[in-house]
Amino acid sequence: MAKYLAKRIFYLILTLFIVITVTFFLMKLLPGTPLTNQAKLSQSQIALIYKQYGLDKPEWQQYLLYLAGAVKGDFGTSFQFSDQPVSYLLSSRIGPSLQIGLQAMVVGVVLGILVGAIGAMRQNTWVDTTTTVVSILGISIPSFVLAVLLQYYLGLKAQLFPIAEWGGFIYTVLPTLALGATPLAESARFVRTEMVDVLSSDYIELAKAKGLSRMGVIYHHALRNSLIPLITIVGPLAVNIMTGSMVVENIFSIPGIGEQFVKSVLTNDYPTIMGLTIIYSFMLCVVLLFTDILYGIVDPRIRLTGKAN
Amino acid sequence: MADTAKLPADSFKPMSADDRAALDSEKIAAPSLTFMQDAWRRLKKNKGAWVSLILLALIFILAFGSAIASPHDPNQVHPEYANLPSKIPGIGINGFNGTLVQAGQRIDAYKQAGATGAHYLMGTDYLGRDLLSRVLYGTRISLIIALVATLFDLTIGVTYGIFSGWKGGRVDTFMQRVIEIILSIPNLVVIVLLILILKPGMLSIIIAIALTSWTNMARLVRAQTLEIKEQEYILAARTLGESSLKIAFKHLLPNLSSVIIINTMFTIPSAIFFEATLSYIGIGISSPQASLGTLLNDGQKNFQFLPYQMWWPALVLCIIMLAFNLLGDGLRDAFDPRTKE
């Protein structure tokens, strides 16, 4: 286990190193500088600004400096907000994003398990059909369409929730719902398929034969065994939520990193874009590592020492 | 169960030769079907997939047909006809009859604009452009992007997967590490970075989506290749001295076809989704070109007062996504009957 963990953490660091390197040099490929359109600046002023941002040094030195800074969590200074370190900008914004992302994940997966289990229990009835329709719709409707509809009907028309801004739990409800729809649908589909499989297995027959109640069979035997493989889709779901958050945070004006990413892209704020890319990769790597370890713990049949995949 | 039925002796008689021939246990009554024919037969039984297939065919014909014959020019601006709601002749339901609520009263927007004779099935946008033509145009762009991305998926993804699985050993480990690294950056972030470098536009979206979408296909194809290459027929082909390239085309590809086809059906909606998201954010397709994402973005701004401007593109986008997902599910069941209970 310790050996496996060390190996995985080594790969995590390697991955992040590659991500930093590739983004750094990709950013250097971009045409123009943040001062391209500043005609009023004299040559010496531009040279001074370059010096301030460390842009006067050769690229390999800039790269090494950036790398050394990134290890310490320093991603340089934002181009858009002068004198704002990227790390400060992002650390003040990561809270809302994490809160909404985690809420969406938990709400989506818990409801998804429920919907999937009910569908499997009432297999091939109208209940099953309804849950299948719900899950296929959840996958097919993009989160930004859902977000706008929720905002309009539940926020503006029904006046149940605030339509935008950030203030307290009530402000997180609509974004959570918009982001949670895909995890709900994906996990419902997954749990249903798994559970239909499990329900027809011999040990369920045995549990029934021993006289366990229907709920007892479902809860103690069927559900537990159907949930283990669900851990494998947590990684992809996390990606989905990160992707969705960029648009959903924008729609609800939430001061999160997704909204910042879009803003930075539109204003060519390269240091911030780089910092965000690294943070996104880091979060995803941690989620993937965590789920792999969890998978090994809950299902002893999988040997962690063997394959990483 | 103890008592047995008492049957009279004359209810039994010896079998004739004809009877025996009819009972021949070796005879196969149904015509033998190839793998593809069998899958096709099962697909046709799946109502959802069948309807989706027809819907998609229809959308393809309409979207690509509109390049030749469109009800209106999607870029023709008519400022005097701006923001007309949808009007479908013969339908009197509010929302489809060209009326809209203004200052608490329902008025005929067409009469107000002096366009009594005209009817725009999906209405017009803020510049008076026909929304139906723009939706068709946008669908075409979205589909082209998805199809080109799929093409890359099929070439890069399948080649990478087969090569990695076939070679095995260190090469395989290395190639899988590369995929893992790519997978540990959210796709959208990679796409955004690439688009920044390549300048926003249709070509860069295609390149960006193509460069990121193949990983899933490569992983699935590799896993399947690992399984297939241990089969006896591959061993036989090798023993007979077939080259690796020929084995890949003659033996691996046909046996991988179901995995490839199924995964393609899930690549297309995700490419459409990425394009819509990018255009929605504002770094995708730029005006005057339109895609479903830009139309949604435009429509969302006026959703409170002119809801149809967002409903129509949203509806078309959802139908396309839904149809591809249902078709993908149907194909999976058709190619792998074991998954169907």
Side-chain angles (χ1 to χ4, degrees):
Chain A
M1 184 72 189
K3 200 179 161 198
Y4 171 76
L5 212 64
K7 194 175 154 195
R8 283 301 303 262
I9 289 172
F10 168 73
Y11 276 122
L12 193 151
I13 294 167
L14 181 74
T15 307
L16 286 177
F17 170 73
I18 292 172
V19 168
I20 293 173
T21 311
V22 171
T23 25
F24 183 87
F25 287 105
L26 276 183
M27 288 291 144
K28 289 291 157 200
L29 278 179
L30 285 171
T33 70
L35 308 175
T36 305
N37 293 326
Q38 305 286 340
K40 283 178 188 160
L41 292 174
S42 69
Q43 278 303 318
S44 57
Q45 278 171 317
I46 288 179
L48 268 176
I49 293 171
Y50 271 26
K51 204 175 162 72
Q52 190 197 337
Y53 287 103
L55 293 171
D56 54 337
K57 299 189 182 74
E59 274 180 14
W60 63 270
Q61 269 187 22
Q62 289 181 34
Y63 168 67
L64 289 181
L65 279 175
Y66 188 81
L67 207 58
V71 172
K72 287 181 277 180
D74 173 14
F75 300 115
T77 315
S78 164
F79 285 168
Q80 190 194 358
F81 306 100
S82 49
D83 299 335
Q84 278 246 43
V86 172
S87 50
Y88 172 75
L89 195 69
L90 299 187
S91 60
S92 62
R93 280 175 165 266
I94 202 160
S97 293
L98 279 181
Q99 188 187 346
I100 288 178
L102 285 176
Q103 278 181 16
M105 181 72 100
V106 171
V107 170
V109 171
V110 169
L111 285 181
I113 291 171
L114 215 64
V115 169
I118 291 171
M121 278 161 68
R122 301 260 183 279
Q123 201 193 331
N124 296 332
T125 63
W126 64 270
V127 182
D128 190 20
T129 317
T130 317
T131 54
T132 311
V133 169
V134 166
S135 56
I136 199 104
L137 278 178
I139 291 170
S140 303
I141 300 177
S143 52
F144 51 91
V145 174
L146 192 63
V148 174
L149 295 182
L150 285 172
Q151 192 179 38
Y152 183 70
Y153 287 104
L154 294 184
L156 193 71
K157 280 264 163 120
Q159 302 272 335
L160 288 175
F161 304 101
I163 51 166
E165 291 297 316
W166 185 250
F169 175 72
I170 192 91
Y171 289 85
T172 66
V173 175
L174 291 185
T176 304
L177 288 179
L179 278 180
T182 317
L184 191 158
E186 291 273 2
S187 44
R189 257 155 77 105
F190 204 79
V191 168
R192 186 195 167 271
T193 322
E194 279 297 320
M195 200 144 150
V196 164
D197 233 28
V198 169
L199 279 178
S200 62
S201 62
D202 291 342
Y203 60 85
I204 295 293
E205 290 296 318
L206 177 69
K208 278 187 196 161
K210 285 193 325 194
L212 267 180
S213 69
R214 190 176 159 76
M215 285 323 286
V217 174
I218 297 286
Y219 181 71
H220 285 290
H221 298 278
L223 198 56
R224 288 192 179 190
N225 281 301
S226 330
L227 291 190
I228 294 171
L230 192 64
I231 299 171
T232 53
I233 63 164
V234 168
L237 286 183
V239 180
N240 187 284
I241 287 180
M242 286 179 197
T243 307
S245 73
M246 292 181 197
V247 195
V248 170
E249 283 181 9
N250 241 314
I251 292 172
F252 291 104
S253 324
I254 293 164
I257 53 173
E259 197 227 5
Q260 182 60 51
F261 188 78
V262 177
K263 245 190 221 163
S264 308
V265 164
L266 294 176
T267 53
N268 285 1
D269 188 354
Y270 302 146
T272 314
I273 298 175
M274 280 164 70
L276 277 167
T277 308
I278 295 162
I279 285 181
Y280 273 124
S281 314
F282 178 73
M283 290 197 297
L284 186 53
C285 283
V286 171
V287 169
L288 291 177
L289 176 64
F290 187 68
T291 51
D292 275 358
I293 292 171
L294 197 65
Y295 201 50
I297 291 172
V298 293
D299 194 347
R301 284 171 296 184
I302 293 160
R303 280 180 301 124
L304 275 182
T305 41
K307 288 172 281 178
N309 225 320
Chain B
M1 297 301 274
D3 51 339
T4 47
K6 294 217 166 26
L7 295 167
D10 59 347
S11 60
F12 296 94
K13 63 176 183 199
M15 275 174 103
S16 67
D18 287 345
D19 291 335
R20 236 174 255 133
L23 273 176
D24 191 356
S25 60
E26 294 293 309
K27 203 178 155 199
I28 298 166
S32 75
L33 296 172
T34 63
F35 177 63
M36 283 293 164
Q37 283 172 328
D38 202 30
W40 178 243
R41 187 178 57 86
R42 273 193 294 267
L43 185 70
K44 277 198 285 192
K45 275 190 192 161
N46 185 330
K47 265 180 255 155
W50 191 235
V51 171
S52 304
L53 195 63
I54 294 170
L55 259 178
L56 284 176
L58 204 69
I59 290 173
F60 265 80
I61 293 170
L62 282 176
F64 287 96
S66 72
I68 307 158
S70 176
H72 298 269
D73 180 351
N75 292 324
Q76 182 63 51
V77 176
H78 285 289
E80 68 274 23
Y81 292 164
N83 292 331
L84 292 178
S86 61
K87 184 178 181 183
I88 302 171
I91 295 183
I93 312 162
N94 283 343
F96 301 105
N97 59 1
T99 61
L100 57 84
V101 180
Q102 212 169 57
Q105 276 187 331
R106 190 162 275 281
I107 53 141
D108 190 341
Y110 282 73
K111 207 178 269 174
Q112 202 181 42
T116 33
H119 52 82
Y120 295 97
L121 297 186
M122 289 188 183
T124 57
D125 70 356
Y126 65 103
L127 287 174
R129 293 175 291 196
D130 176 36
L131 198 58
L132 173 64
S133 309
R134 286 191 72 73
V135 166
L136 287 176
Y137 179 82
T139 309
R140 189 161 79 233
I141 299 272
S142 298
L143 286 177
I144 289 173
I145 288 173
L147 290 181
V148 178
T150 310
L151 197 72
F152 277 91
D153 205 24
L154 288 177
T155 46
I156 306 180
V158 173
T159 317
Y160 195 99
I162 289 182
F163 190 79
S164 178
W166 182 252
K167 282 280 171 189
R170 276 166 179 268
V171 179
D172 183 37
T173 315
F174 175 75
M175 288 174 88
Q176 291 312 304
R177 283 280 162 265
V178 172
I179 287 195
E180 269 167 43
I181 290 172
I182 295 175
L183 280 179
S184 52
I185 319 173
N187 253 356
L188 194 65
V189 175
V190 184
I191 294 176
V192 166
L193 290 181
L194 286 171
I195 288 178
L196 278 182
I197 292 157
L198 301 167
K199 284 181 199 160
M202 191 165 155
L203 188 68
S204 44
I205 290 189
I206 290 178
I207 294 174
I209 293 179
L211 284 180
T212 49
S213 69
W214 56 271
T215 45
N216 214 9
M217 177 72 95
R219 286 182 113 185
L220 287 172
V221 166
R222 171 198 168 251
Q224 197 74 16
T225 307
L226 283 179
E227 212 172 282
I228 293 174
K229 79 171 184 184
E230 302 298 328
Q231 303 278 328
E232 277 84 1
Y233 58 84
I234 300 286
L235 185 69
R238 274 173 145 175
T239 320
L240 290 170
E242 288 262 50
S243 70
S244 292
L245 197 68
K246 207 166 175 190
I247 292 179
F249 274 103
K250 256 184 92 177
H251 300 289
L252 287 177
L253 265 187
N255 286 298
L256 289 168
S257 57
S258 58
V259 175
I260 295 172
I261 293 172
I262 293 164
N263 193 48
T264 308
M265 286 302 132
F266 295 107
T267 309
I268 295 176
S270 83
I272 292 177
F273 169 74
F274 274 128
E275 183 280 318
T277 309
L278 290 171
S279 300
Y280 190 84
I281 294 174
I283 53 170
I285 302 288
S286 48
S287 151
Q289 280 191 319
S291 78
L292 290 173
T294 57
L295 291 171
L296 276 167
N297 189 11
D298 287 343
Q300 182 231 331
K301 291 171 190 153
N302 290 328
F303 187 62
Q304 196 178 346
F305 304 107
L306 304 160
Y308 68 92
Q309 284 186 2
M310 191 181 125
W311 272 118
W312 285 117
L315 197 68
V316 173
L317 179 64
C318 291
I319 287 175
I320 294 175
M321 300 275 284
L322 194 67
F324 273 114
N325 279 323
L326 281 175
L327 186 60
D329 279 353
L331 281 171
R332 185 163 47 196
D333 292 341
F335 281 124
D336 190 1
R338 280 169 304 169
T339 57
K340 188 91 182 154
E341 57 284 335

